[in-house]
Amino acid sequence: MLNIEGLLVHFPYDYIYPEQYSYMLELKRTLDAKGHGVLEMPSGTGKTISLLSLIVAYQKVFPLEVSKLIYCSRTVPEIEKVVEELRKLMEYYSKQTGESNNFLALALSSRKNLCIHPEVSSLRVGKEVDGKCHTLTASYIRAQRHSDPDLPVCRFYEDFDAVGRQMPLPAGVYNLDDLKDFGKRNGWCPYYLARYSLMHANIVVYSYHYLLDPKIADLVSKELTKKSVVVFDEAHNIDNVCIDSMSVNISRRTLDRCQTNVETLQNTIQKIKETDATKLKMEYRRLVEGLKEANVARETDVYLSNPVLPDEILQEAVPGTIRTAEHFVGFLKRFLEYLKSRLRVHHVVQESTPQFLKDIFDKVCIDRKPLRFCAERLRSLLRTLEIADIADFSAVTLISNFATLVSTYSQGFTIIIEPFEDRTPTIANPVLHFSCMDPSIAIKPVFQRFQSVIITSGTLSPLDIYPRILDFRPVTMASFTMTLARTCLCPLIVGRGNDQVALSSKFETREDFAVIRNYGSLLQEMSAIVPDGIVAFFTSYMYMENIVAAWYEQGILENIQRNKLIFIETPDAAETSMALEKYQEACENGRGAILLSVARGKVSEGIDFVHHFGRAVIMFGVPYVYTQSRILKARLEYLRDQFQIRENDFLTFDAMRHAAQCVGRVIRGKTDYGLMIFADKRYARADKRGKLPRWIQEHISDGSLNLTVDEAVQLSKHFLRQMAQPFRQEDQLGLSLLTLEQLESEEMLKKISQIAHQT
Amino acid sequence: MHLIQTMAALSEEVLLVVKKVRQRKQDGTLYLMAERIAWGPEGKDRFTVSHLYADTRCQKISPDGKAKIQLQLVLHTGESTTFHFSNDSSALKDRDAAKELLQQLLPKFKKKANKELEEKNRMLQEDPVLFQLYKDLVVSQVISADEFWANRLGDTNHADPSLSNNKQEVGISGAFLADIRPQTDGCNGLRYNLTADIIESIFRTYPTVKEKYCENVPHNLTEKEFWTRFFQSHYFHRDRINTGTQDIFSECAKQDEQGLKSMVVQGVKNPLVDLLSLEDKTLDEGYGVCTTLPSTSNSNRSVKESSNSAIIKRFNHHSAMVLAAGSRKGETPANQASETSNTDGNSRDSVFFQPPVKKVKLKEAIEYEDLQRENRPKTVALNLKKSDRYAHGPVPLQSQQYTTSQDIINSVNYIQHEMVNYKPNLTQVLSSTTASSAIAALSSGGVLMQAATQQAINQMVPSEVQGELKHLYAAAGELLRHFWSCFPVNTPFMEEKVTKMKSNLERFQMTKLCPFQEKIQRQYLSTNLTGHLEEMLQTAYSKFHIWQTRRMLRKT
């Protein structure tokens, strides 16, 4: 039982890290102020449990102030971990208070992780599961079944629909598997049960998309109460998630598929017209009345949602030009032809949304207003036509979403049409990129609607850039260090080879043999002295491929193989998963292994290398994003004009957050230890180094700024020998691990107040 | 060391005789026997060179085309012996015959004898006490070396039966292919050096190559041709891309690819590393910022790029195979694959079945071991100030037996508790006179302290005698251990052994203990240092007598 400025918090452990206490303190102040916060705390210092403990305690004491916690994380394993920690907390609560818990906490994930229908779930691929589910549960299909009982049915959904809603989910903590178990026992669909229970659950854990992707958020998270605390964990990439959810790419293939879609639509309309003309008339009348019905959209029709639904659209009626089905199909055709003509370019075109709108009006007389209603109109049409397999219509849905987006936002987006890929200028492959440049557009509704939004991660440095690019005003911004009884991380900047050649991944020296060879000897020497696992990250996949090939030719890889097995990330996720598992196996059985991987890749974002799975991480080069991309250039320009962030600052910030992510993978707690080797001389510069998280930065000594390979090996040997000594709990107690008594001492509280680094 | 057994050449089976073999410029005959190789000069019936196979590390042969056709044996000691085959007509054939035979014989001995020898050597080197024992018992011929080791090695086996029964298999070096670095022979050719170890590594790592080998050698290809083709194949050169179908290894590559694919399809067991299910909801096609990814279609890729990705693929495959070769014990990979796919099939049968792996991994992932008080039973760190005292064995201080260290802690706690709650019962204390007499009796020189002469002995006996006594104790202890370990005597073998041990003990007493006794009697008449030793021996003798009389009774 901790006392956080008057709030009694149950903490389910015997001891506490000082930074956890400090973190809770800052968090409580943020909640008290009903504002937003940005908090950086190293991974492995129990961030999640601190968050959960404090917010649950807050909810219990002030149920009227905070009624719900929405915890967003990035990956499915992360989500499940959070729920397991929550379960631990709740068990502790009921043990301490002696009464059964009345909290309902659940995880929500996509259908592929929750479906229990034997046929549907066997599809395994997200999109297919969604599509199949839709063909069984869409509202009009179920309506059809009244007349034709032979149609296939999902009994889990039917049972849930019949009785599931009357009886709320009993209190408790439900992970994905628990939901499936519960669903199986009662014969209810776990997915819809979870979505329904979202509304009255005290704690919801799900992925970013349910809040940030307007296509999904509008249906799943729309009715969540204002008095919620939203937490974005692992939020260092949140701006990219926002941008991704609002951007659209249209290739010639998309347009071709769209063409078939439109033809199918036309034929279906023709058919219906001959058999059941009243249906279309009904629809027309409905559209005249306005889109109020969109407000009460059936929950099962997720697939038909539109990207953004500005409020005014819901009040207005669909414009006359696209009100009848035939007119709308004609309208779509015209729009399609226009897009096709735009893709027939020989040089790169870049324009703003107003320019695009003006051009489309000049060329094919399409007005802004009908474009805005395009997504909604298509949704209505697809429902009216009772089209079962909605997945087939993804192309036309994409186009209409694009139409709505392009006509809704005049700022923050850019349109780039590229006739070919830069690397293959001879092969025509025109793509229209409609690219969002302003992450604040997608996240704005979240900041506006919920009273407290916490953005947190192990690597959020520099903190002040996030409020700027996400356009919000936080009440607290703090970075916490890791208090350590022993310095368990050892960041080294290797700037030179043994032959004094400067090491760098910068473009000019990328092909330089001396650099590649020195990188190779660095890895080789490290493989000889580091026990168990080593993870190495390259700046891009191409770069890694080239270096691996060069190393193979020079026989470096074979020398490395004398010490450890080599596994390499590939673009294929399944192959990489296997390599990863084998890598862990090799670390487990003592043989030792090296994993060559890519910054910004899946491994660097989602896989932890705890303890012996990663005793050293080597970052070959500075992971700058591919700067020649036009989309990136446009975004940089936008950032400069709108937020006064200089291009270089942003690029460095972006590179350093990825580098920090990569090297941070190896330290997952205070009992863990690992080397962090930055193999590029540019890391020594203050502008790079200064953008690393504080908990890494403060361990870089001046002496380790520009090491040669040999010097780095010497330092590493020394470090590893020290770390191999036994490390007991007693060694930590009082320094980086506190008992309740120690925590309450005056002196310690003073020390703790220095842990948080306010900006 | 008396480990090198001298062997009688008479009863040996001679496997191969090669005449006209020169050694140190002397003509002679080479004999390959069951356990050793020997050479004798012409006209004499004595071997001047004789090496046990067990002592031989490897054989080397002169390259083809050299004028002298030679075979060299390298011993573990580092010495080497060279034989020169000088029969003009059949030198090459002779040499190859000898080589072939050695090739078969050497590995057998390498594994067995050598390991044992090394092990014994190591044990003696690491353990000075054991070495002393060895000297006392074996060198002085109280017991034979075999007897000595029989029990020793048996001991280690008992300690870990799993180790001895199925020996841990030696894995494969990840870089075995690197060890066959080609060397140029100066005339536009490459030479690869292959050893039996490397070939075995190749076979174990790439079962498909072994298959090919069995299929083609020697019917279609000679061994040499086979390996030549192997080194020429794209299969060996990982950056080459499979082009022709002529190559016998193209099939291997295909099978490998299939194996890799099936491994990938099987998926991973640990959900935390499954990158496929990492993402909850991927963006639909067409959404998202499209970073210019290299297009996946192969037609667009240059030859260089696809060769690069081939290297990466093959490195992954190689590492996986090396790993698998190390972990499979006699099973074929196919077996393993089917096994795993079986379990996989189970999980697919029941949709709701979640492998417990996931739960365990999740639990592990959220564990903060240092935040929790340690729950496992507490242990007491053993802090020995005088390890020799510890080695002297138990002192009858406590009669009760503590089973775990937790018990000890409990009892200490209990005693502490008792102490805290101790209230003197003043009505029942001793009278002052009794108390003072008790104290006097317990002080040095008192009645009860007569036995405390340890100090005196320490000072009286010179350290060299002490050391000798120590050795005697150790030796006697060892022999007694052998003796007592025979009980209960329930096999004829044991009977024999116990009798032998008894006579060993007697011999020890005669040859070692008695001289020592005489020696100290000459110097120190008063103290009886060997009393306890004799007592122990007597106990053993009486036990033996009891056993013998009982056996007699039973027999009659």
Side-chain angles (χ1 to χ4, degrees), chain A residues 14-15 17 76 88 109-110 184 244 247 249 401 549 552 558 562 566 568 581 591 671 729 732, chain B residues 172 179 181 238 269 275 278 280 286-289 308 316 318-319 352 358 368-373:
Chain A
D14 302 318
Y15 303 106
Y17 297 138
V76 177
K88 184 165 192 169
S109 179
S110 53
K184 196 198 158 199
D244 273 342
S247 298
N249 301 297
N401 280 344
Y552 172 71
E558 294 189 325
R562 284 178 210 277
I566 300 175
I568 307 171
E581 197 178 48
R591 192 184 258 279
T671 53
Q729 200 168 45
Q732 280 205 63
Chain B
I172 293 173
D179 293 333
R181 286 268 93 182
R238 294 174 234 198
K269 284 180 220 94
L275 295 172
L278 217 54
D280 182 28
Y287 296 96
V289 177
N308 286 355
N316 278 341
H318 174 82
S319 299
F352 312 107
K358 185 173 173 185
Y368 287 95
E369 68 221 340
D370 49 346
L371 281 180
Q372 263 144 337
R373 244 176 261 274

Side-chain angles (χ1 to χ4, degrees), chain A residues 284-450:
Chain A
Y284 184 84
R285 207 169 309 135
R286 210 168 51 225
L287 293 175
V288 175
E289 282 169 15
L291 284 170
K292 287 192 194 83
E293 196 227 6
N295 269 330
V296 283
R298 298 263 158 77
E299 57 170 2
T300 50
D301 302 337
V302 204
Y303 238 83
L304 306 173
S305 57
N306 89 10
V308 269
L309 207 57
D311 283 342
E312 64 256 43
I313 287 192
L314 294 180
Q315 315 305 327
E316 288 176 52
V318 170
T321 46
I322 55 170
R323 223 175 271 167
T324 67
E326 291 114 319
H327 286 169
F328 178 59
V329 169
F331 172 85
L332 276 179
K333 271 185 174 167
R334 228 174 337 138
F335 184 54
L336 201 57
E337 283 310 317
Y338 172 75
L339 288 177
K340 275 186 183 166
S341 76
R342 290 303 307 262
L343 281 188
R344 254 177 260 128
V345 288
H346 297 291
H347 55 274
V348 179
V349 177
Q350 178 172 358
E351 58 190 27
S352 64
T353 40
Q355 276 172 315
F356 181 85
L357 288 178
K358 184 171 179 304
D359 191 60
I360 195 170
F361 184 75
D362 291 348
K363 294 251 173 66
V364 287
C365 294
I366 288 183
D367 213 359
R368 180 163 171 253
K369 198 168 177 203
L371 272 179
R372 286 187 80 175
F373 284 86
C374 202
E376 200 47 44
R377 180 66 188 88
L378 178 72
R379 192 178 134 108
S380 162
L381 180 66
L382 288 176
R383 205 162 43 217
T384 314
L385 299 182
E386 297 179 350
I387 284 163
D389 201 355
I390 227 74
D392 286 348
F393 285 84
S394 61
V396 72
T397 316
L398 180 77
I399 299 292
S400 60
N401 280 344
F402 164 65
T404 304
L405 280 170
V406 80
S407 50
T408 307
Y409 294 100
S410 57
Q411 250 204 345
F413 288 84
T414 187
I415 294 166
I416 296 171
I417 306 170
E418 289 179 319
F420 44 74
E421 277 177 41
D422 274 347
R423 299 191 314 124
T424 52
T426 47
I427 303 161
N429 179 25
V431 181
L432 184 149
H433 303 282
F434 175 69
S435 156
C436 174
M437 297 181 297
D438 189 349
S440 68
I441 293 175
I443 206 171
K444 186 174 253 150
V446 179
F447 283 124
Q448 280 175 346
R449 185 160 51 158
F450 300 109

Side-chain angles (χ1 to χ4, degrees), chain A residues 39-50:
Chain A
L39 303 172
E40 178 187 56
M41 182 153 92
S43 42
T45 48
K47 191 173 12 143
T48 308
I49 193 66
S50 317

Side-chain angles (χ1 to χ4, degrees), chain B residues 21-273:
Chain B
V21 177
R22 307 184 69 159
Q23 207 262 329
R24 297 222 174 139
K25 313 225 161 141
Q26 227 185 334
D27 278 321
T29 312
L30 184 71
Y31 297 87
L32 272 82
M33 281 162 284
E35 290 190 315
R36 61 174 177 154
I37 183 169
W39 180 86
E42 213 159 338
K44 291 190 182 150
D45 55 353
R46 202 166 49 76
F47 298 138
T48 51
V49 177
S50 166
H51 297 305
L52 286 175
Y53 295 139
D55 296 337
T56 313
R57 181 184 292 150
C58 65
Q59 58 165 336
K60 287 179 176 173
I61 55 169
S62 56
D64 293 351
K66 279 273 167 66
K68 276 187 179 174
I69 293 165
Q70 290 176 317
L71 187 145
Q72 189 183 44
L73 288 182
V74 182
L75 303 185
H76 286 295
T77 52
E79 295 166 44
S80 63
T81 313
T82 313
F83 300 108
H84 176 197
F85 294 78
S86 57
N87 193 341
D88 296 329
S89 54
S90 64
L92 194 62
K93 223 174 69 200
D94 287 348
R95 201 267 316 264
D96 285 347
K99 183 197 90 179
E100 289 287 322
L101 193 58
L102 277 175
Q103 217 165 32
Q104 288 167 21
L105 289 169
L106 283 181
K108 282 186 215 157
F109 288 91
K110 203 185 225 165
K111 268 168 204 151
K112 205 178 75 204
N114 219 9
K115 240 180 223 149
E116 247 174 57
L117 202 73
E118 265 172 32
E119 176 72 1
K120 286 174 186 173
N121 228 331
R122 190 186 58 77
M123 281 171 79
L124 286 180
Q125 269 169 11
E126 282 175 2
D127 192 346
V129 179
L130 191 71
F131 187 56
Q132 182 63 40
L133 256 184
Y134 187 84
K135 278 205 289 198
D136 284 347
L137 296 178
V138 182
V139 179
S140 61
Q141 294 189 341
V142 174
I143 58 176
S144 78
D146 278 347
E147 257 179 300
F148 181 80
W149 286 119
N151 207 285
R152 277 290 142 198
L153 293 175
D155 252 25
T156 50
N157 286 356
H158 282 303
D160 196 354
S162 65
L163 259 178
S164 63
N165 291 345
N166 45 15
K167 281 220 176 68
Q168 193 182 5
E169 224 165 286
V170 181
I172 293 173
S173 155
F176 65 83
L177 285 176
D179 293 333
I180 11 176
R181 286 268 93 182
Q183 295 160 351
T184 48
D185 59 0
C187 49
N188 268 344
L190 289 174
R191 264 181 39 214
Y192 291 92
N193 289 325
L194 270 180
T195 65
D197 279 347
I198 294 180
I199 292 178
E200 202 205 323
S201 298
I202 293 177
F203 284 164
R204 273 174 68 189
T205 317
Y206 298 110
T208 50
V209 176
K210 189 175 186 179
E211 254 168 54
K212 283 282 151 202
Y213 181 84
C214 295
E215 274 173 31
N216 292 307
V217 178
H219 340 298
N220 301 333
L221 301 164
T222 67
E223 202 184 341
K224 197 177 159 192
E225 277 172 338
F226 179 83
W227 290 117
T228 313
R229 289 214 191 170
F230 177 76
F231 289 126
Q232 285 167 351
S233 70
H234 74 278
Y235 192 70
F236 176 65
H237 297 277
R238 294 174 234 198
D239 51 345
R240 289 189 197 162
I241 298 162
N242 184 11
T243 40
T245 46
Q246 313 286 343
D247 194 345
I248 52 168
F249 294 104
S250 60
E251 206 174 305
C252 294
K254 261 181 221 149
Q255 279 179 19
D256 279 357
E257 208 133 284
Q258 222 131 52
L260 198 67
K261 243 182 221 155
S262 75
M263 272 197 271
V264 167
V265 169
Q266 258 178 41
V268 290
K269 284 180 220 94
N270 179 358
L272 295 189
V273 299

Side-chain angles (χ1 to χ4, degrees), chain A residues 730-749:
Chain A
E730 299 91 77
D731 302 333
Q732 280 205 63
L733 265 179
L735 288 166
S736 55
L737 190 65
L738 305 176
T739 60
L740 187 58
E741 297 85 62
Q742 283 169 331
L743 180 66
E744 281 164 354
S745 75
E746 196 67 31
E747 170 190 18
M748 188 52 74
L749 290 175

